[in-house]
Every structure is written in C-alpha cells, then in structure tokens.
Amino acid sequence: MSILTTKHLGKVYEGKVPYTALNDINFSIEKGEFVAIMGPSGSGKSTLLNVISTIDHPTSGSVCIDSEDPHEMNDDQLAHFRRNTLGFVFQDFNLVHTLTVGENIMLPLTLEGVPVPEIKKRTAEVAALLGIEPLLSKRTFEISGGQAQRTAVARAVVTNPSLLLADEPTGNLDSKATKDVMELFRMLNETKNSTILMVTHDSFVASYCKRVLIIKDGQLYQEIVSDGNRRTF
Ligand code: ADP
Ligand code: ADP
C-alpha cells in the first residue's frame, strides 16, 4: 500500500528571477519503508520535505498521503491531518520549553482533545517503548540533545502517524547521540512498521535507511536500495 505518492511535483520560488527549486519529482513510498533523501546543499531537499509536509505549497503537481491530497484541504482539515496523519521530527527538536518532557509528548493528543485517561495510557506506552520514562517529569533544559530528540520522536509517534517525516534529525547531535536516535528510528520501523522519510546529508545516517533517493538541482537523480543496486532516473 502506498503511503506517499508525488506526481510531477514542482516548486518555483517567485522573485525578480523565478527559481525552480523542484522539477517534476515522481516517487512513491510504501507502508513500512524507511527512506532517506540525500543530495548536495541547495539541491532542494528541504523544499521537497516542506511541500510533502504541507509547510509549503508546491507550484505544480500533487502530493498524495494516505489517499488524501493535503494541499486540497481547508485550514481546519489540514491542522487535523498534520496532527494525526503526519509526525514531524526537526533538526532543532522544537520542544516547548515551558512544558516538561511528558507534557511535550502529550501535546498532540491534548490539542486533538483526546480524553485524559487515553492520553496518559498512550504517553506511558510510547515512553516505555522509547526508554524515556525517567525523563517524563524533567524540564527540557535538564536533558541532553540526544534525550531531547528522543522526546521529539516520542511526540511525533504518540499519535500513530501514517508517515514520519524528519529533516536532518541528527544535525545537532554528536556521533553517540546520532547512533542512539538512528537505532530508535530503526526500532520503530522494524517493530511498529513505521513509515519514515528522512532528509540527511550524513551517509552514516542514510545507511540505516533501506532506500536512498538522491536529488540534484531539484530533480530526482538516483535511487539506491539496500542491496547496493542503483537506478538512475
Ligand atoms: P537543500 O535543503 O537541499 O539545501 P533547499 O530546498 O533549502 O535545498 O533549497 C533549494 C534551492 O532553493 C536553493 O537554491 C535555495 O537557495 C532556494 N530556496 C530555498 N528557499 C527559498 C525561498 N524561500 N525563496 C527563494 N529561493 C529559495
Ligand atoms: P538548509 O540548507 O538547511 O535547507 P538554508 O540555509 O538553505 O537551509 O535555508 C534556510 C532558510 O532560508 C529556509 O527556510 C529557506 O526556505 C530559506 N532560503 C534559502 N535560500 C533562500 C533564498 N535564496 N531566498 C529566500 N529564502 C531562502
């Protein structure tokens, strides 16, 4: 089953000189895949993730996630879709510093109006799965970068999203924390069948992914699958 399909996806940034950041991007991700997008700086990786995650709008083509086109939705539908169907992990964690670790993890459920007993149950489950129970009552400034990203991953998956999106999730982590966080993504992919799409320029990080899409000058250039097979578009 396809979780994500892009068709003729394009993005032109308007300006004095319009700039084509994405040009005719076509690919699909099946349920349970773990995929990296790699490419040189300025090749369009963030733009691609942003138009998939609905942070930005494409100027041509379409994005289909879980059989729906989020770019056709009104604001209310989109807010609900982003909280339930998508999970986000960012380079700088994006935790809310006035809240505890536990409250950060609960946030998407609280915003969706999930009943409190259900919130507590799901938060406890995800904290146990990700090994962060001892951190739940801590403040965000009391934890390390690796622990902060663990918390952000917990917050991203507490809603059981269909697609987990991560933009340079290890960009601010040292090598040990990078490995810890990547082991976490691998565990989620293998034991929960989570579908993950990640932008990275780190080949160690990409080595955890079963398929790597390489983008160059706004176009899909090559696809590498885990047995080392390459396909050039
Ligand atoms: P990457 O993530 O691969 O480094 P980006 O998607 O950030 O690449 O950027 C792709 C290209 O689009 C770059 O040349 C960048 O300068 C340009 N770009 C990105 N955002 C904007 C914007 N808001 N307005 C104009 N150009 C942009
Ligand atoms: P990254 O390489 O991590 O994607 P960048 O430094 O390329 O980060 O971009 C940082 C931000 O600046 C992004 O939000 C991007 O949209 C914006 N940006 C990048 N290039 C341009 C540009 N030429 N004009 C306007 N905004 C840009």
Side-chain angles (χ1 to χ4, degrees), residues 13 41-42 45-47 50 91 167-168:
Y13 288 111
S41 183
K45 302 182 294 297
S46 294
T47 302
N50 289 348
Q91 178 168 356
D167 194 355
E168 298 279 7

Side-chain angles (χ1 to χ4, degrees), residues 139-209:
R139 295 270 160 187
T140 55
F141 54 80
E142 294 177 286
I143 62 176
S144 69
Q147 291 171 333
Q149 198 58 303
R150 232 164 225 269
T151 302
V153 172
R155 183 183 56 184
V157 299
V158 76
T159 56
N160 285 319
S162 304
L163 179 63
L164 184 55
L165 298 167
D167 194 355
E168 298 279 7
T170 61
N172 283 329
L173 302 180
D174 63 25
S175 56
K176 185 182 174 298
T178 293
K179 190 163 182 293
D180 283 352
V181 166
M182 291 315 297
E183 295 289 348
L184 211 61
F185 281 114
R186 173 184 277 165
M187 182 275 291
L188 287 168
N189 176 248
E190 288 181 354
T191 68
K192 303 274 284 181
N193 204 30
S194 299
T195 311
I196 306 170
L197 177 62
M198 177 175 292
V199 164
T200 183
H201 58 247
D202 181 342
S203 49
F204 171 76
V205 167
S207 72
Y208 280 82
C209 302

Side-chain angles (χ1 to χ4, degrees), residues 17-215:
V17 182
Y19 183 83
T20 303
L22 296 176
N23 181 13
D24 197 23
I25 303 271
N26 298 287
F27 70 98
S28 281
I29 293 184
E30 302 293 308
K31 171 134 191 68
E33 278 205 284
F34 188 3
V35 178
I37 297 172
M38 295 192 82
S41 183
S43 56
K45 302 182 294 297
S46 294
T47 302
L48 178 57
L49 207 70
N50 289 348
V51 298
I52 290 171
S53 65
T54 72
I55 287 171
D56 202 352
H57 280 285
T59 46
S60 55
S62 64
V63 174
C64 182
I65 301 173
D66 226 1
S67 315
E68 294 191 274
D69 181 345
H71 296 286
E72 302 280 318
M73 294 176 184
N74 66 33
D75 287 352
D76 286 348
Q77 291 169 322
L78 191 57
H80 179 75
F81 177 84
R82 290 177 62 164
R83 276 193 219 118
N84 288 277
T85 306
L86 300 178
F88 296 96
V89 177
F90 303 93
Q91 178 168 356
D92 51 7
F93 323 131
N94 277 16
L95 297 179
V96 180
H97 299 297
T98 50
L99 302 179
T100 63
V101 165
E103 288 163 346
N104 267 280
I105 297 172
M106 292 175 194
L107 198 56
L109 301 176
T110 309
L111 292 171
E112 275 297 294
V114 174
V116 172
E118 175 73 12
I119 293 181
K120 288 190 171 155
K121 179 170 160 277
R122 282 163 69 176
T123 303
E125 278 168 7
V126 80
L129 183 70
L130 302 195
I132 46 180
E133 291 136 310
L135 305 179
L136 288 176
S137 60
K138 287 203 190 292
R139 295 270 160 187
T140 55
F141 54 80
E142 294 177 286
I143 62 176
S144 69
Q147 291 171 333
Q149 198 58 303
R150 232 164 225 269
T151 302
V153 172
R155 183 183 56 184
V157 299
V158 76
T159 56
N160 285 319
S162 304
L163 179 63
L164 184 55
L165 298 167
D167 194 355
E168 298 279 7
T170 61
N172 283 329
L173 302 180
D174 63 25
S175 56
K176 185 182 174 298
T178 293
K179 190 163 182 293
D180 283 352
V181 166
M182 291 315 297
E183 295 289 348
L184 211 61
F185 281 114
R186 173 184 277 165
M187 182 275 291
L188 287 168
N189 176 248
E190 288 181 354
T191 68
K192 303 274 284 181
N193 204 30
S194 299
T195 311
I196 306 170
L197 177 62
M198 177 175 292
V199 164
T200 183
H201 58 247
D202 181 342
S203 49
F204 171 76
V205 167
S207 72
Y208 280 82
C209 302
K210 294 174 187 157
R211 181 154 70 108
V212 179
L213 295 169
I214 297 177
I215 178 170

